[in-house]
C-alpha cells in the first residue's frame, strides 16, 4: 500500500531509530488491516492489553477492554480474516500518529517504549478520535524483533467507548 | 405536590403500534415515545440500579442512572442502602461527581452544603445567615422512594406506590436464584469493573438482542469460523434442544438447560472446562447444596436472561442496558464473580472481556447490527417489523411460561406485549 518497504532487518542490536521505525511499522500494519503481518510481529509469549476503568487496573481482578494472550491474539486475527466480522465489514479507515517516543533498554535485550498516539477512525460517515499512551516491550533475544507486551492506555478508558473491533 | 411531567408529550396509542405478531418501526425511533418510556417504565416501574456487593461497607457509594435520573447509591452506617437523587436541594448542582468511593458524607461543590449517607442535610456554611424559617430537616437530598433487592441485585422505583419487587419479577426470581446459586455461599461479587460500550441505537434493540436465538449463525459467523470452542460447545442449530422462553411480565430467557441436561456434563457453560480443574469449587458446591443438587446446578449453569426493562443476566456476565436518548444506548458489562468460586473466577473474567464489550468477539458485532437496525429504521417503509417466527408452535405452561424453539421470536413477542401493557396503562 502506501508504504516504504521495510527491507532493513530488525535484528539486534537495534538503534533508537530502528526502534522508532518498528513502532511506525506496527502502527501502519494496524491502520492498513495487514492482519497476518501484524500478528507476525508478536512473540510466542505475548500480552495485548487495553485496560478499562483506569490505567492501573489489576488484570487479575478487573475487567479490561482487551486482555489477549498469544492464543487470543491469533483468534482475534482469525476472526478478522474471515471478512465476516460485521463490526469491521466494512473495515474502518484509519491513520494514527505516534509521537513522544521514549526508549528504555532493559536486561536480556528487552526494549521498553512509551509513546503517545492519536488515531482518526473513519467509518459509516463518522470520524472518531482515539488517543492514548502505548507501552510496549520488544524482545530481540531470538534474533528478530518481536512484541511481547503492548499496553494501550486510552485517555477515555473510564468512559463509554464505541466499537473498537479494529487493532488499537 | 406539583404535578409537573418531566416530558410533556402527547400520549401514544401503543395498542395501535404493537400487534400479536408485528410492531411498528417508530417504536424505536420516535423521540416522543422515548420520553414516554422515561416517564413510565423508568419512573413508575422497577429498574435495576446496582448490586449490594458494589457498596459493601458503610460509606461506600456508587453513582448510577435510573432512566435519565442521576442517583447516588449509598451504604449507610447501619448497613441500609439508600438511593439519592444526585442534586443539591439548595441550588441544584451535581453533588457527587465520582463513580464509586467511600465517604462519611457528601458535600456540594457549590456552597458546601453537607449531607449524610441517607441524604439528610447536616450542615451549611455560614449558617447564621438563615433564620428560623429554614428547616434543615426538610432540606435534604431527595430520596428514591422504593428500594428492594433480590440476591443482592438492588432495584428501585421512582414512584412511591406500586406493585412490589416480587410482583414485578414474577417468574424471573428463579433466574436470579439460579445465578446466585452457583456460588457455594449464595453470594456474587460484582466489583470487577465495567466495560462501557456506546451504541448509536435504541435501547430496546440492544436488550431484545440479548435473548434473540435466531441471529447467531449470521451475526456471529466470523466467530463460529474462527473459534472451535464457540462453535461446538453448545447446540446452536434450529433443531437445538435449547428453548426460548417468555416468562411473563417482560422477563425472557434463552433456556440452555434442556441442551445441557441432554449432555449431562458439568461446566459446558464455561466453554467446556474439565471438571477436574474445578475440584475445589465442585467440592464447595457439594458441601453447600448436597451432591445431587450441586451437580445439577453445575450442569445447568447460569441463566441467559433479560429482566425487564434494563438488565441482562447474560450467563456469567451482567449487562445493564442504559438508555441515553432515543438513538443512543450504553451497555455496561461486568463479569459475575462467585464468592467461593475462585477457581472459576479468573476464567470468567477473561471470557467476559474476550466476548463482550467494544472489542469483544461477540458483542462488537451485535452492536454493529443494533446500529444498522437503528439506521435502517429511519427509512419509513415498510412500516411494520415482522415477529412471526414460531408463533404457532409455542407451549404454554400452567404458570404462564411460554416456550418455543431456540430461533423462535417468542422472546421478542413477550417483550413487546408486556411493554404495550405497561406503556398503555395509566398507573
Amino acid at each position: 500500500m502506501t508504504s516504504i518497504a521495510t527491507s532493513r532487518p530488525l535484528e539486534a542490536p537495534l538503534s533508537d531509530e530502528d526502534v522508532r521505525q518498528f513502532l511506525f511499522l506496527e502502527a501502519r500494519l494496524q491502520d492498513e488491516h495487514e492482519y497476518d503481518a501484524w500478528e507476525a510481529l508478536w512473540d510466542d509469549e505475548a500480552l495485548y492489553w487495553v485496560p478499562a476503568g483506569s490505567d492501573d487496573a489489576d488484570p487479575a481482578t478487573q475487567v479490561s477492554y482487551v486482555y489477549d494472550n498469544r492464543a487470543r491474539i491469533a483468534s482475534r486475527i482469525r476472526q478478522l480474516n474471515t471478512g465476516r466480522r460485521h463490526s469491521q465489514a466494512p473495515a474502518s479507515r484509519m491513520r494514527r500518529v505516534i509521537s513522544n517516543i521514549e526508549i528504555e533498554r532493559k536486561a536480556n535485550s528487552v526494549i521498553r517504549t512509551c509513546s503517545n498516539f492519536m488515531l482518526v477512525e473513519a467509518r459509516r460517515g463518522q470520524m472518531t478520535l482515539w488517543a492514548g499512551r502505548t507501552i510496549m516491550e520488544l524482545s530481540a533475544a531470538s534474533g528478530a524483533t518481536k512484541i511481547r507486551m503492548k499496553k494501550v492506555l486510552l485517555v477515555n478508558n473510564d468512559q463509554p467507548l464505541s466499537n473498537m473491533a479494529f487493532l488499537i | 405536590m406539583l404535578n409537573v411531567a418531566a416530558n410533556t408529550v402527547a400520549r401514544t396509542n401503543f395498542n395501535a403500534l404493537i400487534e400479536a405478531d408485528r410492531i411498528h418501526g417508530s417504536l424505536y425511533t420516535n423521540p416522543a415515545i422515548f420520553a414516554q418510556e422515561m416517564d413510565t417504565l423508568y419512573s413508575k416501574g422497577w429498574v435495576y440500579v446496582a448490586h449490594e456487593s458494589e457498596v459493601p461497607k458503610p460509606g461506600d457509594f456508587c453513582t448510577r442512572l435510573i432512566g435519565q435520573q442521576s442517583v447516588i447509591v449509598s451504604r449507610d452506617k447501619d448497613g441500609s442502602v439508600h438511593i439519592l437523587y444526585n442534586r443539591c436541594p439548595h441550588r441544584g448542582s451535581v453533588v457527587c461527581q465520582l463513580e464509586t468511593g467511600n465517604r462519611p458524607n457528601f458535600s456540594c461543590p457549590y456552597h458546601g452544603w453537607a449531607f449524610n449517607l441517607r441524604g439528610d442535610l447536616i450542615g451549611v456554611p455560614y449558617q447564621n445567615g438563615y433564620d428560623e424559617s429554614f428547616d434543615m430537616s426538610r432540606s435534604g437530598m431527595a430520596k428514591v422512594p422504593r428500594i428492594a433487592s433480590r440476591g443482592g441485585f438492588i432495584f428501585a422505583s421512582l414512584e412511591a406506590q406500586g406493585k412490589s419487587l416480587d410482583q414485578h419479577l414474577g417468574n424471573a426470581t428463579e433466574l436470579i436464584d439460579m445465578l446466585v446459586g452457583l456460588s457455594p455461599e449464595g453470594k456474587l461479587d460484582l466489583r470487577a469493573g465495567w466495560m462501557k460500550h456506546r451504541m448509536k441505537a435504541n435501547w430496546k434493540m440492544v436488550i431484545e438482542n440479548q435473548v434473540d436465538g435466531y441471529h447467531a449463525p449470521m451475526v456471529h459467523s466470523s466467530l463460529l469460523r474462527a473459534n472451535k470452542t464457540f462453535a461446538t460447545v453448545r447446540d446452536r442449530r434450529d433443531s437445538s434442544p435449547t428453548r426460548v422462553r417468555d416468562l411473563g411480565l417482560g422477563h425472557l430467557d434463552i433456556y440452555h438447560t434442556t441442551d445441557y441436561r441432554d449432555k449431562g456434563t458439568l461446566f459446558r457453560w464455561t466453554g467446556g472446562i474439565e471438571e477436574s480443574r474445578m475440584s475445589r469449587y465442585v467440592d464447595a458446591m457439594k458441601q453447600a447444596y448436597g451432591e445431587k443438587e450441586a451437580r445439577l446446578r453445575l450442569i445447568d449453569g447460569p441463566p441467559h436472561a433479560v429482566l425487564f426493562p434494563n438488565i441482562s443476566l447474560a450467563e456469567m456476565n451482567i449487562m445493564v442496558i442504559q438508555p441515553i436518548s432515543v438513538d443512543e444506548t450504553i451497555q455496561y458489562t461486568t463479569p459475575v464473580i462467585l464468592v467461593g468460586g475462585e477457581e472459576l473466577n479468573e476464567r470468567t473474567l477473561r471470557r467476559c472481556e474476550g466476548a463482550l464489550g467494544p472489542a469483544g468477539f461477540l458483542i462488537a458485532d451485535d452492536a454493529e447490527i443494533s446500529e444498522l437496525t437503528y439506521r435502517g429504521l429511519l427509512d419509513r417503509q415498510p412500516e411494520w417489523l415482522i415477529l412471526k417466527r414460531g408463533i404457532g408452535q409455542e407451549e404454554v405452561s400452567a404458570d404462564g411460561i411460554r416456550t418455543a424453539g431456540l430461533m423462535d421470536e417468542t422472546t421478542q413477542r413477550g417483550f413487546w406485549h408486556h411493554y404495550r401493557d405497561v406503556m398503555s396503562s395509566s398507573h
Side-chain angles (χ1 to χ4, degrees):
Chain A
M1 294 179 85
T2 50
S3 60
I4 299 162
T6 42
S7 54
R8 187 182 352 202
L10 287 166
E11 290 175 7
L14 266 59
S15 69
D16 282 3
E17 184 54 25
D18 288 336
V19 173
R20 284 190 283 271
Q21 290 298 323
F22 184 86
L23 300 186
F24 297 154
L25 169 68
E26 195 260 348
R28 175 164 52 79
L29 295 177
Q30 292 188 309
D31 285 347
E32 297 181 357
H33 308 288
E34 294 284 344
Y35 299 130
D36 293 335
W38 182 77
E39 191 188 347
L41 297 180
W42 286 88
D43 213 340
D44 294 341
E45 292 278 322
L47 175 65
Y48 172 38
W49 182 14
V50 184
S54 73
D55 292 352
D56 50 10
D58 176 4
T61 60
Q62 297 295 299
V63 73
S64 299
Y65 283 117
V66 175
Y67 195 82
D68 288 2
N69 62 14
R70 186 63 187 83
R72 191 170 279 179
I73 291 170
S75 197
R76 189 174 294 281
I77 296 305
R78 278 200 306 280
Q79 185 180 21
L80 288 165
N81 270 333
T82 63
R84 293 163 178 254
R85 170 91 152 134
H86 290 276
S87 46
Q88 276 298 300
S92 303
R93 294 194 61 193
M94 300 188 289
R95 287 296 166 192
R96 71 194 78 192
V97 174
I98 295 176
S99 186
N100 304 55
I101 300 169
E102 296 170 75
I103 299 169
E104 184 187 355
R105 288 165 197 278
K106 315 278 275 190
N108 303 319
S109 305
V110 171
I111 296 168
R112 180 182 167 88
T113 67
C114 297
S115 58
N116 295 345
F117 73 94
M118 284 179 65
L119 159 63
V120 176
E121 178 202 11
R123 192 162 185 274
R124 295 204 197 287
Q126 288 276 329
M127 297 273 269
T128 306
L129 182 64
W130 301 80
R133 185 156 180 83
T134 304
I135 298 163
M136 271 205 210
E137 283 183 9
L138 308 177
S139 168
S142 59
T145 302
K146 299 284 184 186
I147 308 166
R148 59 178 215 179
M149 195 278 290
K150 179 177 185 184
K151 183 177 180 184
V152 181
L153 307 174
L154 295 170
V155 294
N156 57 341
N157 61 19
D158 61 338
Q159 302 293 316
L161 306 180
S162 53
N163 260 357
M164 194 177 68
F166 54 83
L167 302 173
I168 186 85
Chain B
M1 191 173 150
L2 295 174
N3 186 13
V4 181
N7 299 288
T8 308
V9 287
R11 297 291 297 172
T12 299
N13 178 6
F14 287 93
N15 287 305
L17 300 177
I18 301 165
E19 298 181 357
D21 59 358
R22 63 176 195 166
I23 61 167
H24 198 269
S26 64
L27 288 160
Y28 295 102
T29 56
N30 183 344
I33 287 177
F34 182 85
Q36 289 171 77
E37 292 167 351
M38 293 304 108
D39 284 351
T40 302
L41 302 181
Y42 286 87
S43 295
K44 297 186 169 132
W46 288 96
V47 178
Y48 172 71
V49 182
H51 192 266
E52 286 180 4
S53 64
E54 295 179 275
V55 286
K57 298 187 302 295
D60 287 346
F61 68 87
C62 61
T63 49
R64 292 288 147 88
L65 291 171
I66 298 177
Q68 293 173 312
Q69 299 297 300
S70 171
V71 297
I72 306 171
V73 180
S74 69
R75 176 78 69 177
D76 205 349
K77 287 175 182 147
D78 65 1
S80 57
V81 171
H82 308 289
I83 305 183
L84 313 170
Y85 285 86
N86 193 3
R87 161 180 157 166
C88 182
H90 175 215
R91 299 274 289 276
S93 170
V94 168
V95 173
C96 179
Q97 301 174 66
L98 301 173
E99 286 187 19
T100 60
N102 183 283
R103 288 280 170 88
N105 50 53
F106 301 107
S107 73
C108 176
Y110 193 1
H111 301 94
W113 283 30
F115 308 91
N116 65 18
L117 296 164
R118 56 177 63 223
D120 302 332
L121 181 61
I122 55 173
V124 298
Y126 313 110
Q127 196 174 343
N128 58 355
Y130 287 95
D131 66 16
E132 65 280 359
S133 69
F134 177 51
D135 183 353
M136 281 181 61
S137 72
R138 300 183 62 173
S139 304
M141 295 169 75
K143 282 172 83 165
V144 170
R146 287 195 300 156
I147 306 175
S149 72
R150 173 112 189 166
F153 291 87
I154 303 167
F155 296 80
S157 171
L158 302 182
E159 185 89 344
Q161 305 291 324
K163 58 186 186 176
S164 69
L165 177 63
D166 280 349
Q167 288 171 318
H168 165 76
L169 289 174
N171 293 320
T173 55
E174 73 187 47
L175 300 172
I176 294 176
D177 296 348
M178 183 183 188
L179 181 60
V180 174
L182 287 174
S183 158
E185 298 179 32
K187 280 188 187 157
L188 310 181
D189 186 344
L190 301 189
R191 286 181 296 173
W194 295 92
M195 288 195 272
K196 303 172 187 172
H197 193 175
R198 187 189 300 280
M199 302 167 201
K200 191 84 176 158
N202 184 268
W203 65 277
K204 301 187 292 298
M205 298 159 177
V206 180
I207 200 131
E208 283 178 274
N209 184 61
Q210 298 294 337
V211 283
D212 181 303
Y214 188 8
H215 72 287
M218 285 64 74
V219 174
H220 303 303
S221 68
S222 63
L223 191 58
L224 288 163
R225 284 162 184 240
N227 186 311
K228 271 205 187 78
T229 304
F230 178 71
T232 57
V233 77
R234 59 180 64 151
D235 188 341
R236 298 176 188 281
R237 294 170 299 175
D238 191 21
S239 60
S240 171
T242 298
R243 308 278 90 186
V244 293
R245 302 191 303 175
D246 164 11
L247 293 103
L249 303 174
H251 309 307
L252 316 155
D253 75 349
I254 297 181
Y255 187 66
H256 290 294
T257 304
T258 36
D259 181 21
Y260 292 160
R261 286 190 186 174
D262 265 11
K263 312 297 184 296
T265 52
L266 278 56
F267 293 118
R268 282 180 69 215
W269 47 278
T270 67
I273 196 166
E274 292 293 324
E275 185 181 332
S276 59
R277 291 174 60 190
M278 293 284 131
S279 55
R280 276 182 294 138
Y281 172 46
V282 174
D283 286 348
M285 287 294 284
K286 287 177 180 170
Q287 285 282 322
Y289 304 114
E291 168 98 25
K292 192 170 170 223
E293 174 65 18
R295 286 194 70 81
L296 194 61
R297 289 182 187 209
L298 296 173
I299 290 168
D300 292 353
H304 184 128
V306 159
L307 308 188
F308 192 88
N310 71 326
I311 176 172
S312 176
L313 309 179
E315 304 187 23
M316 294 306 286
N317 313 282
I318 301 299
M319 301 172 91
V320 179
I321 287 79
Q322 177 62 54
I324 301 297
S325 60
V326 68
D327 63 352
E328 187 177 347
T329 302
I330 297 174
Q331 184 159 254
Y332 292 87
T333 303
T334 196
V336 173
I337 301 303
L338 299 174
V339 177
E342 283 70 23
E343 282 167 311
L344 186 61
N345 287 338
E346 189 158 357
R347 182 180 176 84
T348 300
L349 184 52
R350 296 286 91 88
R351 280 169 58 81
C352 175
E353 61 207 1
L356 311 180
F361 294 165
L362 279 173
I363 294 294
D365 294 327
D366 292 303
E368 173 74 3
I369 297 297
S370 293
E371 294 190 350
L372 283 176
T373 305
Y374 189 82
R375 178 61 194 84
L377 285 168
L378 295 175
D379 298 330
R380 292 187 188 147
Q381 296 292 333
E383 289 184 57
W384 293 84
L385 306 184
I386 304 153
L387 297 178
K388 277 184 182 295
R389 200 172 201 283
I391 198 166
Q393 291 148 41
E394 295 174 338
E395 291 170 21
V396 185
S397 72
D399 48 0
I401 296 176
R402 195 172 280 270
T403 302
L406 171 61
M407 294 192 178
D408 291 337
E409 285 160 341
T410 300
T411 38
Q412 279 66 40
R413 290 188 290 270
F415 177 89
W416 282 106
H417 295 158
H418 182 67
Y419 174 98
R420 177 181 59 195
D421 291 348
V422 178
M423 295 298 290
S424 300
S425 69
S426 57
H427 281 261

